[in-house]
Amino acid sequence: MNGTGTPAHGSTGTPAQGTARAGRRGRPRSAAVDTAVVETVLRLLEQGVTIGELSMERIAREAGVGKAALYRRWAGKEELMLDVLRSLDDVSQPEPPGVSVRDDLVVLLEFLRRRGLAKRSSAVLRTVVTQVKAHPRLWNEYHRTVVTARREAVFAVLRRGMATGEVRSDLDVELLAELFVSPMLTRALLHEWEDLSEGLAERIVDTVLEGVRPRERAFSG
Amino acid sequence: MNGTGTPAHGSTGTPAQGTARAGRRGRPRSAAVDTAVVETVLRLLEQGVTIGELSMERIAREAGVGKAALYRRWAGKEELMLDVLRSLDDVSQPEPPGVSVRDDLVVLLEFLRRRGLAKRSSAVLRTVVTQVKAHPRLWNEYHRTVVTARREAVFAVLRRGMATGEVRSDLDVELLAELFVSPMLTRALLHEWEDLSEGLAERIVDTVLEGVRPRERAFSG
DNA sequence: TTATTTCGATACGGACCCGTTCCGTATCGG
DNA sequence: CCGATACGGAACGGGTCCGTATCGAAATAA
């Protein structure tokens, strides 16, 4: 039925390994096609194009690629978008140094801040995350792959802080994590016009740690 | 040029006042059409339909309404969506009682929590906000109309708290507001699987006020 | 060389959509 | 009653998209 014989859509699993696989007979797939397509989709999303406005036809056109080359690799738009999403996660979260909970949290939040500012990520993250959230299947995949790992890192830091007494241990870890993370997320994803200014991570962490109610001249040492 | 003479698209300005305007000559517009259309769009969005998948044709079909009736009221999908958005804002935010900053913040956050749980709002808010965020023009309008007012209410409470000494006055009001609001927003909009459990507003407000670092036996009176 | 697979390009039929226009009917003001 | 405007329904021409197929050329393995 399928003219290509064994389809072998590269989508699920390895993210676009289109280049020649061992013992393949004919002309190998061009890696340039894979990158051109992914880059094009990212560029379009950066420019504010909606996923709904993205068609396989348009992607092929703007990438300078034949439609056949697309369908040879991905079964449809959804499969393609999944690979595009995965291509955003190559930059890994920094390992928190582990000296103090305060500094570790700053490191993790600073990563989010810089990510929200990064040339490639800024618009893409805003747009892609927004767009992807609108498509349950894509969002589930993104969350399962990326978000969960980040949350776990924060949990670990907080649990360590509870053990060392740097953090109150009478609170729910998940809620605690959100107190630190969500202000940064909100600015990065929801309030695009607000600035992710220098030192924001420190201010958030310190304020949440210290509390908003005035302290009655408490010594911290 | 336009067959309808003076078009008078009701969209911008009054949100769907389609019923008869004074001194109109012919058959008045049916209010049933307006409500049927808006309700249908909300229902579809609740069911997870993307804005991109919403066509005027489909809206008319599912609402049991002629396309002409749509184009008689709205110039296009965007204008229609704006009116749908406006229809979500009829439920107004409660006025904070003004006894204590802590209780006022709880009231405001509790409103967000209940809104996130409400039968009609839950899926609609999640879906609509997500969808609308993906369309800059719609998002700007929504933000200008709704979000700003809510933020100002929080600002007012916090400024009052700074004056009465209930809140540290050495902090940026906007950042402060986000420390309280964004955890609730994150749960309501981003983490749909998490629960907006009873007492969440109180826990957020109290924890942010008190701080996450263990207090050294501080008296609060 | 030969068989195979890829490439970009182009075309196809079928589906859906857009915004407009026209029906026949219903409902209002004058 | 009559002119005007509304209604739902159906059709229009023009467009985009989908997924598949076919083309000649290029690139590889056997």
Side-chain angles (χ1 to χ4, degrees):
Chain A
M1 344 290 197
N2 193 347
T4 59
T6 307
H9 282 126
S11 65
T12 312
T14 314
Q17 84 292 26
T19 13
R21 277 162 302 175
R24 203 84 169 93
R25 273 271 285 180
R27 172 176 174 174
R29 293 193 181 165
S30 164
V33 171
D34 295 73
T35 65
V37 169
V38 174
E39 290 295 310
T40 298
V41 172
L42 288 177
R43 178 175 56 80
L44 291 174
L45 289 175
E46 264 184 276
Q47 294 168 0
V49 178
T50 303
I51 284 192
E53 295 163 350
L54 271 187
S55 59
M56 295 294 268
E57 202 135 348
R58 179 170 176 185
I59 292 170
R61 207 186 314 131
E62 303 231 27
V65 149
K67 282 173 63 180
L70 281 191
Y71 282 101
R72 218 172 278 126
R73 281 155 230 264
W74 298 282
K77 198 169 75 176
E78 191 136 324
E79 306 289 337
L80 169 53
M81 298 311 292
L82 283 179
D83 273 1
V84 171
L85 258 199
R86 295 198 191 94
S87 79
L88 285 178
D89 310 331
D90 44 6
V91 188
S92 58
Q93 196 174 219
E95 189 70 20
V99 282
S100 78
V101 167
R102 186 265 186 192
D103 290 348
D104 284 1
L105 288 174
V106 168
V107 166
L108 293 177
L109 258 64
E110 180 67 10
F111 170 74
L112 286 181
R113 188 182 75 88
R114 302 205 83 85
R115 191 181 172 89
L117 283 177
K119 172 102 174 54
R120 164 45 59 83
S121 290
S122 65
V124 158
L125 255 194
R126 285 198 254 275
T127 313
V128 169
V129 169
T130 302
Q131 295 287 332
V132 162
K133 233 206 115 328
H135 294 250
R137 271 200 48 175
L138 297 177
W139 176 250
N140 287 339
E141 177 69 12
Y142 181 73
H143 193 274
R144 200 180 55 74
T145 313
V146 192
V147 182
T148 299
R150 300 232 172 82
R151 280 171 62 91
E152 287 300 331
V154 180
F155 291 170
V157 170
L158 289 174
R159 290 206 191 89
R160 188 163 53 76
M162 288 179 173
T164 66
E166 293 170 90
V167 172
R168 289 166 59 184
S169 53
D170 60 331
L171 298 170
D172 178 30
V173 175
E174 299 211 359
L175 176 62
L176 221 42
E178 254 151 32
L179 294 188
F180 289 102
V181 173
S182 67
M184 187 65 82
L185 273 188
T186 301
R187 290 217 173 182
L189 297 180
L190 254 42
H191 298 167
E192 45 229 324
W193 60 92
E194 303 261 26
D195 55 347
L196 295 168
S197 57
E198 192 83 19
L200 179 58
E202 286 87 346
R203 265 181 291 148
I204 292 176
V205 171
D206 288 336
T207 310
V208 174
L209 276 177
E210 198 66 16
V212 164
R213 199 198 304 280
R215 294 226 173 194
E216 44 271 355
R217 199 168 301 283
F219 299 102
S220 57
Chain B
M1 338 298 197
N2 193 346
T4 60
T6 308
H9 281 126
S11 64
T12 312
T14 315
Q17 84 293 25
T19 12
R21 279 161 301 177
R24 203 85 168 91
R25 272 273 284 184
R27 170 176 175 175
R29 294 193 181 166
S30 164
V33 170
D34 296 72
T35 64
V37 169
V38 173
E39 289 295 309
T40 298
V41 172
L42 288 178
R43 177 175 57 81
L44 291 175
L45 289 175
E46 265 184 275
Q47 294 169 0
V49 178
T50 303
I51 285 191
E53 295 164 348
L54 271 187
S55 61
M56 295 295 268
E57 203 135 345
R58 177 170 177 185
I59 292 170
R61 205 186 315 133
E62 303 232 27
V65 150
K67 282 173 65 179
L70 280 190
Y71 283 102
R72 220 172 278 128
R73 282 154 228 263
W74 298 281
K77 196 170 77 177
E78 191 136 325
E79 307 289 337
L80 169 53
M81 297 310 293
L82 283 179
D83 272 1
V84 172
L85 258 198
R86 294 197 192 94
S87 78
L88 285 178
D89 309 331
D90 43 6
V91 186
S92 59
Q93 196 172 221
E95 189 69 22
V99 282
S100 78
V101 166
R102 187 266 186 192
D103 290 347
D104 284 1
L105 289 174
V106 168
V107 165
L108 293 178
L109 259 64
E110 181 67 9
F111 170 74
L112 286 182
R113 188 182 77 88
R114 301 207 82 86
R115 191 181 173 87
L117 283 178
K119 173 108 175 52
R120 166 44 59 84
S121 290
S122 65
V124 158
L125 256 195
R126 286 199 252 277
T127 313
V128 169
V129 169
T130 302
Q131 294 288 332
V132 162
K133 235 208 114 326
H135 293 248
R137 273 200 46 176
L138 297 177
W139 176 249
N140 287 340
E141 177 69 13
Y142 181 74
H143 193 275
R144 198 180 57 73
T145 312
V146 191
V147 183
T148 300
R150 301 230 173 85
R151 281 171 61 92
E152 286 300 332
V154 180
F155 292 169
V157 170
L158 289 174
R159 290 206 190 88
R160 188 162 53 77
M162 288 179 172
T164 65
E166 293 169 89
V167 171
R168 289 166 59 184
S169 53
D170 61 331
L171 297 170
D172 178 29
V173 175
E174 300 211 359
L175 177 61
L176 221 42
E178 256 152 29
L179 295 188
F180 289 102
V181 173
S182 66
M184 188 65 82
L185 273 189
T186 301
R187 291 217 172 183
L189 298 181
L190 254 43
H191 298 167
E192 44 228 326
W193 60 91
E194 303 259 25
D195 55 347
L196 296 168
S197 56
E198 192 83 19
L200 179 58
E202 288 86 346
R203 266 182 290 149
I204 291 176
V205 170
D206 289 336
T207 310
V208 173
L209 276 176
E210 197 66 17
V212 165
R213 198 197 305 280
R215 297 227 171 192
E216 44 270 356
R217 200 169 298 282
F219 300 101
S220 59

